[in-house]
């Protein structure tokens, strides 16, 4: 079974630009969660999607948004990029019925650098 | 509320044991443990559900004390491959569909 894939793997943007990151979950998984990882902060929860619906959202500004498609693939968008948005963005997939007791499988991440 | 992990970092020699703790200020429904090596995705280790269970996986085991809102990860007879950053992720239940991760514990195993 193919794992979670994320594209692109690396991205360099400048302040003020916007960016879209993509995540393809493991086949059959319907839940996709997004996390921001920065040095010393661990993984910060961004949002979770299931069947094209956002079920929860973390404490991030409205510049961070996401969506999920009918094939469970998910995208996240960051508008008006700031230097502090530089981070590794990870997505994780699971079956989705009860993500709090399911294994989440992480993708390799997209490393975003904002200059 | 982010769970608190301790210690922040630990250095071991091969064959030594280590304990990593994860404490939450909120009631917990489940605790998830992951290991992440530098430049790689976090890898799942185990899930513990409320009920105070203990789980084992080779020489890595964990316990979950629901009452104390704590979980501990035990690594025995450590191997070089155990090096990495260990994260605990906690869930409070109630259909939140969310894991909250600690800041991680950096474990280094030296020969």
């Amino acid at each position: 079974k193919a794992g979670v894939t994320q594209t692109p793997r690396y991205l360099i943007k400048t302040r003020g630009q916007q960016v879209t990151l993509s995540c393809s979950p493991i086949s059959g998984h319907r839940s996709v969660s997004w996390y921001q990882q920065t040095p010393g902060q661990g993984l910060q929860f961004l949002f979770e999607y299931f069947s094209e619906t956002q079920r929860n959202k973390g404490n991030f500004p409205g510049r961070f948004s996401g969506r999920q498609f009918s094939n469970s693939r998910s995208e996240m968008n960051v508008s008006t990029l700031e230097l502090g948005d530089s981070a590794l963005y990870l997505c994780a997939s699971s079956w989705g019925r009860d993500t709090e007791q399911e294994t989440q499988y992480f993708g390799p991440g997209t490393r975003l650098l904002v200059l | 509320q982010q769970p608190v992990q301790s210690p922040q970092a630990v250095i071991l020699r091969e064959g030594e044991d280590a304990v990593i703790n994860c404490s939450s200020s909120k009631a917990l429904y489940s605790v998830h443990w992951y290991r992440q090596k530098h430049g790689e995705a976090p890898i799942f280790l185990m899930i513990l559900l409320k009920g105070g269970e203990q789980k084992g996986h080779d020489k890595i085991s964990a316990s979950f004390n629901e009452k104390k809102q704590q979980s501990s990860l035990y690594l025995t007879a450590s191997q070089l491959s155990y090096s990495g950053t260990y994260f605990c992720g906690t869930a409070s239940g109630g259909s939140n569909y969310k894991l909250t991760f600690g800041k991680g514990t950096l474990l280094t195993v030296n020969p």
Side-chain angles (χ1 to χ4, degrees):
Chain A
K1 219 179 207 182
V4 178
T5 58
Q6 292 186 245
T7 55
R9 293 292 313 277
Y10 304 93
L11 211 46
I12 300 176
K13 292 284 187 179
T14 55
R15 277 181 301 173
Q17 287 187 309
Q18 76 164 24
V19 66
T20 299
L21 312 181
S22 179
C23 172
S24 293
I26 289 172
S27 178
H29 284 188
R30 296 167 66 190
S31 167
V32 174
S33 297
W34 288 90
Y35 298 89
Q36 180 194 65
Q37 185 175 29
T38 52
Q41 290 303 313
L43 291 85
Q44 304 285 313
F45 174 80
L46 281 157
F47 23 66
E48 189 266 358
Y49 286 89
F50 176 80
S51 289
E52 302 177 67
T53 299
Q54 186 184 89
R55 294 194 294 191
N56 204 341
K57 187 179 192 306
N59 294 325
F60 279 83
R63 300 184 296 107
F64 291 82
S65 62
R67 59 178 176 167
Q68 187 180 36
F69 302 94
S70 58
N71 62 357
S72 295
R73 190 178 69 86
S74 178
E75 288 181 349
M76 68 163 281
N77 184 277
V78 188
S79 62
T80 320
L81 284 166
E82 300 178 359
L83 296 178
D85 296 334
S86 295
L88 179 66
Y89 290 88
L90 293 160
C91 75
S93 77
S94 67
W95 294 108
R97 187 164 167 261
D98 184 357
T99 54
E100 293 181 329
Q101 62 172 328
E102 296 171 355
T103 300
Q104 291 198 10
Y105 295 88
F106 283 86
T110 294
R111 187 163 295 281
L112 172 66
L113 176 62
V114 182
L115 302 175
Chain B
Q1 197 84 11
Q2 195 173 26
V4 176
Q5 288 186 232
S6 62
Q8 290 184 336
V10 58
I11 299 174
L12 302 173
R13 288 207 179 274
E14 228 176 338
E16 291 182 337
D17 302 339
V19 180
I20 299 172
N21 300 303
C22 175
S23 294
S24 174
S25 59
K26 296 171 68 172
L28 297 177
Y29 172 69
S30 64
V31 180
H32 305 228
W33 286 97
Y34 287 82
R35 176 173 62 213
Q36 184 180 32
K37 293 183 181 287
H38 185 69
E40 298 180 9
I43 299 296
F44 170 77
L45 294 175
M46 61 189 77
I47 293 176
L48 300 102
L49 303 179
K50 69 175 185 176
E53 66 177 285
Q54 183 150 355
K55 273 195 170 182
H57 170 53
D58 196 12
K59 291 176 184 164
I60 299 176
S61 61
S63 63
F64 178 19
N65 189 319
E66 184 189 340
K67 221 171 184 180
K68 292 185 178 179
Q69 297 165 187
Q70 290 177 350
S71 177
S72 295
L73 186 71
Y74 307 93
L75 302 105
T76 57
S78 59
Q79 306 167 14
L80 296 177
S81 62
Y82 286 5
S83 291
T85 301
Y86 290 77
F87 293 99
C88 69
T90 58
S92 54
S95 300
N96 280 319
Y97 310 108
K98 170 185 175 179
L99 288 186
T100 304
F101 284 88
K103 293 185 179 182
T105 295
L106 178 60
L107 179 78
T108 304
V109 181
N110 292 321

